[in-house]
Amino acid sequence: MRKATAIVGFALALVAAVVAAAFTIGPGSGTASSHREAPLIAEDPSADLTDVYAFRSPDKQNTVTLLANVIPGEDPGAGPNWYTFSPGARYSIKIDTDGDVRPNVIYRFQFTRKTGPFFLGDTAQPFTVTRVAGGKTTVIARGTTPPNNIGPRSTPNYPSLVSKSIVSFDGGASKAFAGQRDDPFFGDIGAIFDLVAIRKGTGNAGGGKDFFAGYGVHTIGVQVPIADLKAKNGTVGIWASVERKKVTTRGQKTRNSGGWVQVNRLGNPLVNEVIIPTGLKDIWNAQQPWNDSAYKKYHETPILAAVINKLYKLGAPETGRDDLVAVLLTGVPKLNYTGPKLADVLRLNLGIPVTASPNRLGVLGGDTQGWPNGRRLGDDVIDIAEQAVGGFLKGTKLPLGDGVNGDDAKLMGSFPYIADPESGFANTKGLQKP
């Protein structure tokens, strides 16, 4: 859930249309892994969560890495002000350690913005990280984001700027990062908008075009010792949220007032886009995960399965989908089950060791360290989701996919792992004239 107007998988555009027609609410919201997934949040990109990731750190396996991305479709050449975190928002990564689907630990990021030189914005933003745990609220780290990757004159030796911006806390045992990164989500969104075109076969054998190649996001993240979480049964639930003040008054000077209210949330990828009906998407974003029992019926009878059958007659089970309830709302028994409480959170069994050779299909590919057990940066959530909705866990194994099997940029070997964003000067999406 990074967001750039899109729809995921070869039938997701159809889902948006079907849902809109069924509920007569007007235009659907469309999207990829939580890119612009609901009407209201699509108007507020700096508060728009695109994806959440949670995984055991491959190079520091006694720690867990938690990442959340916002601002879909950042063009690298977006001067003079570029993209930044909003000073008027609170960005949080939340951790449930005991299975009641309420946060036991919150890592909250808040930002300021400085005035830049000449006619240019300043994208290096001072920030604080606050931990809320055990009834205490404590500022645990302060730092400054690296500037956006503007170009060789403005941001030379960009990797060094990133490494210097990573801050440590808890005596050096933990790390935090905030700043612009490459969008690690991947998917063929261009084909989906062209009347649900499939470039090759059923999309499971390559042939797609990665819509997100060359685009960036803004990332917040922490890396903390697994032992510090003291997780009951060794499994945690992770989600992210963004809050704004309840009232914004605009004029010669903008003022924010009132209490904080949640404007966006994200746990598992694709839930709000594909499962929640269009007329309920904004409400879902404003609610807490522990209210998700109200949405159980949409998991048990997924619209996507019906659309797949209507268009392609593939025999996907349309009702009684207790497998999807387990995957998305309770966790899978003997894998990452957290209890009967229904909630859309990303569940991670911290006892499962790091996979030496990860499989992009995660659990469906026999790799229990991948989604839906947490989510790694290389997990192909579009293909996994399509095959799961198609009935993989019910014995119906359909060769579905979008033809894009990995990100265009190579991941880093250490925290925050997501690749550096493209340079605005290089602008790989620009056409150079003779």
Side-chain angles (χ1 to χ4, degrees):
M1 124 146 55
R2 297 95 29 57
K3 309 172 174 188
T5 32
I7 304 186
V8 207
F10 78 82
L12 300 196
L14 293 170
V15 172
V18 169
V19 172
F23 288 85
T24 61
I25 301 295
S29 56
T31 178
S33 181
S34 277
H35 295 62
R36 297 173 52 84
E37 86 288 351
L40 285 179
I41 201 62
E43 299 178 4
D44 188 6
S46 62
D48 191 355
L49 288 157
T50 66
D51 290 281
V52 175
Y53 300 90
F55 52 90
R56 284 185 63 169
S57 310
D59 59 323
K60 297 184 67 175
Q61 298 188 21
N62 64 330
T63 69
V64 61
T65 294
L66 311 174
L67 304 168
N69 294 337
V70 293
I71 313 178
E74 293 185 1
D75 191 292
N81 284 293
W82 298 279
Y83 298 93
T84 61
F85 293 105
S86 171
R90 299 198 310 191
Y91 303 85
S92 297
I93 296 174
K94 300 180 177 180
I95 311 169
D96 166 34
T97 63
D98 58 15
D100 66 354
V101 200
R102 295 176 184 269
N104 300 95
V105 184
I106 300 174
Y107 289 99
R108 180 177 293 150
F109 289 70
Q110 290 180 271
F111 300 85
T112 59
R113 185 189 294 134
K114 298 178 291 184
T115 300
F118 312 118
F119 49 83
L120 303 173
D122 189 339
T123 60
Q125 295 183 266
F127 66 90
T128 60
V129 184
T130 301
R131 180 165 53 206
V132 182
K136 297 180 180 180
T137 300
T138 309
V139 174
I140 54 173
R142 299 181 188 273
T144 300
T145 70
N148 289 10
N149 193 1
I150 297 168
R153 289 187 178 184
S154 302
T155 53
N157 196 10
Y158 193 75
S160 70
L161 298 177
V162 173
S163 61
K164 291 175 182 177
S165 72
I166 299 171
V167 296
S168 298
F169 59 96
D170 290 342
S174 303
K175 297 178 181 178
F177 171 82
Q180 189 185 48
R181 308 309 292 153
D182 170 73
D183 188 344
F185 185 76
F186 47 91
D188 190 345
I189 303 308
I192 300 304
F193 276 130
D194 186 18
L195 299 179
V196 199
I198 302 172
R199 299 184 195 272
K200 181 180 178 181
T202 56
N204 70 319
K209 293 185 178 182
D210 183 8
F211 173 88
F212 298 100
Y215 286 114
V217 289
H218 266 60
T219 297
I220 61 171
V222 294
Q223 183 178 78
V224 297
I226 291 173
D228 287 0
L229 296 179
K230 299 180 175 60
K232 180 181 179 182
N233 300 324
T235 299
V236 293
I238 310 295
W239 71 102
S241 68
V242 182
E243 299 170 311
R244 287 197 181 278
K245 289 287 190 176
K246 192 171 186 178
V247 178
T248 297
T249 305
R250 297 191 183 278
Q252 292 186 8
K253 186 175 182 179
T254 297
R255 293 179 174 85
N256 299 311
S257 61
W260 293 97
V261 295
Q262 180 175 290
V263 296
N264 199 207
R265 64 156 162 140
L266 181 61
N268 284 291
L270 310 175
V271 170
N272 201 359
E273 294 83 351
V274 180
I275 293 178
I276 306 303
T278 304
L280 299 177
K281 290 179 183 294
D282 291 327
I283 297 172
W284 187 94
N285 266 339
Q287 291 180 332
Q288 301 299 329
W290 51 86
N291 299 126
D292 283 346
S293 59
Y295 304 98
K296 181 181 180 182
K297 61 183 178 182
Y298 303 115
H299 295 73
E300 292 178 318
T301 311
I303 299 171
L304 177 56
V307 172
I308 288 174
N309 289 338
K310 183 177 180 60
L311 294 177
Y312 302 100
K313 297 179 174 57
L314 294 176
E318 299 181 20
T319 60
R321 298 303 302 271
D322 55 342
D323 57 324
L324 298 183
V325 171
V327 166
L328 298 172
L329 295 179
T330 65
V332 178
K334 298 182 180 180
L335 177 66
N336 59 358
Y337 181 73
T338 55
K341 184 69 175 177
L342 302 180
D344 173 42
V345 298
L346 197 59
R347 293 169 172 84
L348 174 62
N349 184 334
L350 297 168
I352 296 178
V354 173
T355 305
S357 300
N359 188 306
R360 67 179 180 87
L361 295 179
V363 174
L364 268 61
D367 180 358
T368 55
Q369 225 241 338
W371 190 61
N373 181 41
R375 182 183 174 190
R376 300 167 301 193
L377 293 165
D379 289 342
D380 192 344
V381 296
I382 291 180
D383 285 19
I384 296 169
E386 288 184 352
Q387 293 185 28
V389 171
F392 187 98
L393 299 176
K394 290 285 191 180
T396 303
K397 299 183 179 181
L398 304 177
L400 302 177
D402 69 334
V404 180
N405 298 337
D407 191 26
D408 63 304
K410 184 179 180 180
L411 298 175
M412 297 171 59
S414 59
F415 182 81
Y417 302 103
I418 305 175
D420 290 338
E422 293 279 359
S423 161
F425 178 83
N427 196 358
T428 58
K429 294 185 173 296
L431 178 61
Q432 188 166 4
K433 299 296 185 178

Short mmCIF file of all heavy atoms in Angstrom, two decimals, residues 66-68 85 93 109 111 127 129 144-146 158 161-163 165-167 169 175-181 218-223 415-416 418 420:
data_model
loop_
_atom_site.label_atom_id
_atom_site.label_comp_id
_atom_site.label_asym_id
_atom_site.label_seq_id
_atom_site.Cartn_x
_atom_site.Cartn_y
_atom_site.Cartn_z
N LEU A 66 10.96 -2.59 10.17
CA LEU A 66 9.59 -2.17 9.89
C LEU A 66 9.65 -0.89 9.07
O LEU A 66 10.28 0.10 9.47
CB LEU A 66 8.83 -1.91 11.19
CG LEU A 66 8.92 -3.02 12.25
CD1 LEU A 66 8.25 -2.57 13.54
CD2 LEU A 66 8.31 -4.31 11.73
N LEU A 67 9.02 -0.88 7.89
CA LEU A 67 9.07 0.24 6.97
C LEU A 67 7.66 0.61 6.52
O LEU A 67 6.81 -0.26 6.32
CB LEU A 67 9.90 -0.10 5.74
CG LEU A 67 11.33 -0.58 5.95
CD1 LEU A 67 11.90 -1.15 4.66
CD2 LEU A 67 12.22 0.55 6.47
N ALA A 68 7.42 1.90 6.35
CA ALA A 68 6.15 2.38 5.79
C ALA A 68 6.45 3.49 4.80
O ALA A 68 7.27 4.37 5.07
CB ALA A 68 5.23 2.89 6.89
N PHE A 85 7.72 15.13 3.45
CA PHE A 85 6.75 14.78 4.48
C PHE A 85 6.00 16.04 4.90
O PHE A 85 6.55 17.15 4.88
CB PHE A 85 7.45 14.20 5.71
CG PHE A 85 8.10 12.86 5.50
CD1 PHE A 85 9.48 12.76 5.39
CD2 PHE A 85 7.33 11.71 5.44
CE1 PHE A 85 10.08 11.52 5.21
CE2 PHE A 85 7.93 10.47 5.26
CZ PHE A 85 9.31 10.37 5.14
N ILE A 93 4.23 3.90 12.93
CA ILE A 93 4.31 2.45 12.74
C ILE A 93 3.88 1.83 14.06
O ILE A 93 4.44 2.15 15.12
CB ILE A 93 5.74 2.01 12.37
CG1 ILE A 93 6.14 2.60 11.02
CG2 ILE A 93 5.84 0.49 12.34
CD1 ILE A 93 7.59 2.33 10.64
N PHE A 109 6.69 9.41 13.85
CA PHE A 109 7.59 10.36 13.20
C PHE A 109 6.85 11.67 12.94
O PHE A 109 5.72 11.67 12.43
CB PHE A 109 8.08 9.81 11.86
CG PHE A 109 9.05 8.67 11.96
CD1 PHE A 109 8.65 7.41 12.41
CD2 PHE A 109 10.38 8.83 11.57
CE1 PHE A 109 9.54 6.35 12.48
CE2 PHE A 109 11.28 7.77 11.62
CZ PHE A 109 10.87 6.53 12.09
N PHE A 111 7.70 15.85 11.43
CA PHE A 111 8.66 16.57 10.61
C PHE A 111 8.42 18.08 10.63
O PHE A 111 7.29 18.54 10.82
CB PHE A 111 8.59 16.07 9.16
CG PHE A 111 8.88 14.61 9.01
CD1 PHE A 111 7.86 13.67 9.18
CD2 PHE A 111 10.16 14.17 8.72
CE1 PHE A 111 8.13 12.31 9.05
CE2 PHE A 111 10.43 12.81 8.59
CZ PHE A 111 9.42 11.88 8.76
N PHE A 127 13.48 15.90 11.94
CA PHE A 127 12.38 15.07 12.43
C PHE A 127 12.67 14.54 13.83
O PHE A 127 13.83 14.50 14.27
CB PHE A 127 12.10 13.90 11.48
CG PHE A 127 13.20 12.86 11.37
CD1 PHE A 127 13.23 11.75 12.22
CD2 PHE A 127 14.20 12.98 10.41
CE1 PHE A 127 14.22 10.80 12.12
CE2 PHE A 127 15.20 12.03 10.29
CZ PHE A 127 15.21 10.93 11.16
N VAL A 129 11.56 11.15 16.44
CA VAL A 129 10.93 9.84 16.57
C VAL A 129 10.51 9.69 18.02
O VAL A 129 11.34 9.80 18.94
CB VAL A 129 11.88 8.70 16.18
CG1 VAL A 129 11.13 7.36 16.23
CG2 VAL A 129 12.47 8.92 14.80
N THR A 144 17.71 14.36 10.71
CA THR A 144 17.33 15.13 9.52
C THR A 144 17.33 14.19 8.34
O THR A 144 18.28 13.42 8.15
CB THR A 144 18.30 16.29 9.28
OG1 THR A 144 18.30 17.17 10.41
CG2 THR A 144 17.89 17.08 8.05
N THR A 145 16.29 14.24 7.54
CA THR A 145 16.23 13.38 6.36
C THR A 145 17.35 13.76 5.39
O THR A 145 17.78 14.93 5.36
CB THR A 145 14.90 13.51 5.63
OG1 THR A 145 14.83 14.80 5.00
CG2 THR A 145 13.72 13.36 6.57
N PRO A 146 17.82 12.83 4.59
CA PRO A 146 18.68 13.26 3.49
C PRO A 146 17.84 14.09 2.53
O PRO A 146 16.62 13.92 2.47
CB PRO A 146 19.11 11.93 2.84
CG PRO A 146 18.01 10.99 3.17
CD PRO A 146 17.51 11.39 4.53
N TYR A 158 25.29 10.89 -3.25
CA TYR A 158 24.02 10.72 -2.55
C TYR A 158 24.02 9.58 -1.53
O TYR A 158 23.48 9.73 -0.43
CB TYR A 158 22.88 10.52 -3.56
CG TYR A 158 21.52 10.65 -2.93
CD1 TYR A 158 21.02 11.90 -2.59
CD2 TYR A 158 20.75 9.53 -2.65
CE1 TYR A 158 19.78 12.04 -2.00
CE2 TYR A 158 19.50 9.65 -2.06
CZ TYR A 158 19.03 10.91 -1.73
OH TYR A 158 17.81 11.04 -1.13
N LEU A 161 25.04 10.76 1.83
CA LEU A 161 24.03 11.58 2.49
C LEU A 161 23.00 10.71 3.20
O LEU A 161 22.53 11.05 4.29
CB LEU A 161 23.34 12.49 1.47
CG LEU A 161 24.21 13.50 0.73
CD1 LEU A 161 23.38 14.26 -0.30
CD2 LEU A 161 24.87 14.46 1.71
N VAL A 162 22.67 9.59 2.58
CA VAL A 162 21.70 8.67 3.18
C VAL A 162 22.28 8.00 4.42
O VAL A 162 21.64 7.96 5.48
CB VAL A 162 21.26 7.61 2.15
CG1 VAL A 162 20.37 6.56 2.81
CG2 VAL A 162 20.53 8.28 0.99
N SER A 163 23.49 7.48 4.31
CA SER A 163 24.09 6.77 5.45
C SER A 163 24.26 7.69 6.65
O SER A 163 24.08 7.28 7.81
CB SER A 163 25.42 6.14 5.05
OG SER A 163 26.35 7.14 4.64
N SER A 165 22.34 10.08 7.47
CA SER A 165 21.03 10.47 8.02
C SER A 165 20.41 9.40 8.91
O SER A 165 19.44 9.67 9.62
CB SER A 165 20.07 10.78 6.87
OG SER A 165 19.68 9.59 6.19
N ILE A 166 20.94 8.18 8.90
CA ILE A 166 20.40 7.11 9.75
C ILE A 166 20.78 7.39 11.20
O ILE A 166 21.95 7.63 11.51
CB ILE A 166 20.94 5.74 9.31
CG1 ILE A 166 20.50 5.45 7.87
CG2 ILE A 166 20.46 4.64 10.24
CD1 ILE A 166 21.14 4.22 7.26
N VAL A 167 19.80 7.38 12.08
CA VAL A 167 20.06 7.70 13.49
C VAL A 167 19.90 6.44 14.34
O VAL A 167 19.13 5.54 14.02
CB VAL A 167 19.12 8.80 14.00
CG1 VAL A 167 19.38 10.10 13.27
CG2 VAL A 167 17.66 8.40 13.85
N PHE A 169 19.31 4.71 18.32
CA PHE A 169 18.73 4.96 19.64
C PHE A 169 18.82 3.69 20.47
O PHE A 169 19.31 2.66 19.99
CB PHE A 169 17.29 5.48 19.53
CG PHE A 169 16.31 4.57 18.81
CD1 PHE A 169 15.50 3.70 19.51
CD2 PHE A 169 16.20 4.61 17.42
CE1 PHE A 169 14.58 2.89 18.85
CE2 PHE A 169 15.29 3.80 16.75
CZ PHE A 169 14.48 2.93 17.47
N LYS A 175 17.82 1.46 15.14
CA LYS A 175 18.05 2.51 14.14
C LYS A 175 16.72 3.04 13.63
O LYS A 175 15.70 2.35 13.65
CB LYS A 175 18.86 1.96 12.96
CG LYS A 175 20.25 1.46 13.31
CD LYS A 175 20.95 0.89 12.08
CE LYS A 175 22.34 0.37 12.41
NZ LYS A 175 22.99 -0.22 11.21
N ALA A 176 16.76 4.28 13.14
CA ALA A 176 15.60 4.89 12.51
C ALA A 176 16.04 5.63 11.25
O ALA A 176 17.17 6.13 11.17
CB ALA A 176 14.90 5.85 13.47
N PHE A 177 15.15 5.69 10.29
CA PHE A 177 15.43 6.40 9.04
C PHE A 177 14.15 7.05 8.55
O PHE A 177 13.05 6.52 8.70
CB PHE A 177 15.94 5.45 7.96
CG PHE A 177 16.05 6.10 6.59
CD1 PHE A 177 17.16 6.88 6.27
CD2 PHE A 177 15.04 5.97 5.66
CE1 PHE A 177 17.25 7.51 5.03
CE2 PHE A 177 15.12 6.60 4.42
CZ PHE A 177 16.24 7.37 4.11
N ALA A 178 14.31 8.20 7.90
CA ALA A 178 13.21 8.85 7.19
C ALA A 178 13.79 9.59 6.00
O ALA A 178 14.83 10.24 6.12
CB ALA A 178 12.46 9.81 8.11
N GLY A 179 13.13 9.47 4.85
CA GLY A 179 13.62 10.17 3.68
C GLY A 179 13.11 9.56 2.39
O GLY A 179 12.39 8.56 2.39
N GLN A 180 13.50 10.17 1.29
CA GLN A 180 13.07 9.70 -0.03
C GLN A 180 13.80 8.42 -0.43
O GLN A 180 14.99 8.27 -0.20
CB GLN A 180 13.32 10.77 -1.09
CG GLN A 180 12.70 10.44 -2.44
CD GLN A 180 13.05 11.45 -3.52
OE1 GLN A 180 14.21 11.82 -3.68
NE2 GLN A 180 12.06 11.88 -4.27
N ARG A 181 13.06 7.49 -1.04
CA ARG A 181 13.64 6.25 -1.55
C ARG A 181 13.00 5.89 -2.89
O ARG A 181 11.95 6.43 -3.28
CB ARG A 181 13.40 5.05 -0.58
CG ARG A 181 13.81 5.26 0.84
CD ARG A 181 15.22 5.77 1.00
NE ARG A 181 16.26 4.80 0.61
CZ ARG A 181 17.46 5.17 0.16
NH1 ARG A 181 17.77 6.43 -0.02
NH2 ARG A 181 18.35 4.25 -0.14
N HIS A 218 8.39 8.38 -0.06
CA HIS A 218 9.05 8.79 1.17
C HIS A 218 8.85 7.69 2.21
O HIS A 218 7.73 7.21 2.40
CB HIS A 218 8.50 10.13 1.67
CG HIS A 218 9.32 11.30 1.19
ND1 HIS A 218 9.51 11.58 -0.15
CD2 HIS A 218 10.02 12.24 1.89
CE1 HIS A 218 10.28 12.65 -0.26
NE2 HIS A 218 10.61 13.07 0.96
N THR A 219 9.94 7.30 2.86
CA THR A 219 9.95 6.15 3.77
C THR A 219 10.21 6.58 5.21
O THR A 219 11.05 7.44 5.47
CB THR A 219 11.07 5.17 3.33
OG1 THR A 219 10.78 4.67 2.02
CG2 THR A 219 11.18 4.00 4.30
N ILE A 220 9.48 5.96 6.15
CA ILE A 220 9.86 5.98 7.55
C ILE A 220 10.14 4.55 7.95
O ILE A 220 9.54 3.61 7.40
CB ILE A 220 8.78 6.58 8.48
CG1 ILE A 220 7.48 5.77 8.41
CG2 ILE A 220 8.53 8.05 8.13
CD1 ILE A 220 6.44 6.16 9.45
N GLY A 221 11.10 4.34 8.86
CA GLY A 221 11.41 2.98 9.23
C GLY A 221 12.23 2.89 10.49
O GLY A 221 12.94 3.83 10.87
N VAL A 222 12.09 1.75 11.18
CA VAL A 222 12.91 1.45 12.35
C VAL A 222 13.43 0.04 12.23
O VAL A 222 12.83 -0.82 11.59
CB VAL A 222 12.13 1.61 13.68
CG1 VAL A 222 11.73 3.05 13.91
CG2 VAL A 222 10.91 0.69 13.71
N GLN A 223 14.57 -0.19 12.87
CA GLN A 223 15.12 -1.54 13.01
C GLN A 223 15.40 -1.73 14.50
O GLN A 223 16.18 -0.99 15.08
CB GLN A 223 16.41 -1.68 12.20
CG GLN A 223 17.00 -3.08 12.23
CD GLN A 223 18.26 -3.17 11.37
OE1 GLN A 223 19.33 -2.74 11.78
NE2 GLN A 223 18.11 -3.73 10.17
N PHE A 415 20.10 -1.66 6.43
CA PHE A 415 19.01 -0.74 6.72
C PHE A 415 19.27 0.62 6.08
O PHE A 415 20.39 1.12 6.17
CB PHE A 415 18.88 -0.60 8.24
CG PHE A 415 17.77 0.28 8.71
CD1 PHE A 415 16.47 -0.20 8.76
CD2 PHE A 415 18.02 1.59 9.10
CE1 PHE A 415 15.45 0.61 9.21
CE2 PHE A 415 17.00 2.40 9.56
CZ PHE A 415 15.71 1.92 9.60
N PRO A 416 18.29 1.24 5.41
CA PRO A 416 16.87 0.87 5.31
C PRO A 416 16.53 -0.05 4.14
O PRO A 416 15.35 -0.21 3.82
CB PRO A 416 16.19 2.23 5.15
CG PRO A 416 17.18 3.03 4.37
CD PRO A 416 18.52 2.60 4.88
N ILE A 418 15.81 -0.23 1.13
CA ILE A 418 15.22 0.26 -0.11
C ILE A 418 16.26 1.07 -0.89
O ILE A 418 17.02 1.84 -0.32
CB ILE A 418 13.99 1.14 0.18
CG1 ILE A 418 12.97 0.37 1.03
CG2 ILE A 418 13.32 1.56 -1.12
CD1 ILE A 418 11.79 1.22 1.47
N ASP A 420 18.27 3.72 -3.35
CA ASP A 420 18.24 5.17 -3.49
C ASP A 420 17.26 5.56 -4.60
O ASP A 420 17.11 4.85 -5.60
CB ASP A 420 19.62 5.71 -3.85
CG ASP A 420 20.61 5.61 -2.70
OD1 ASP A 420 20.17 5.53 -1.54
OD2 ASP A 420 21.83 5.62 -2.96
#
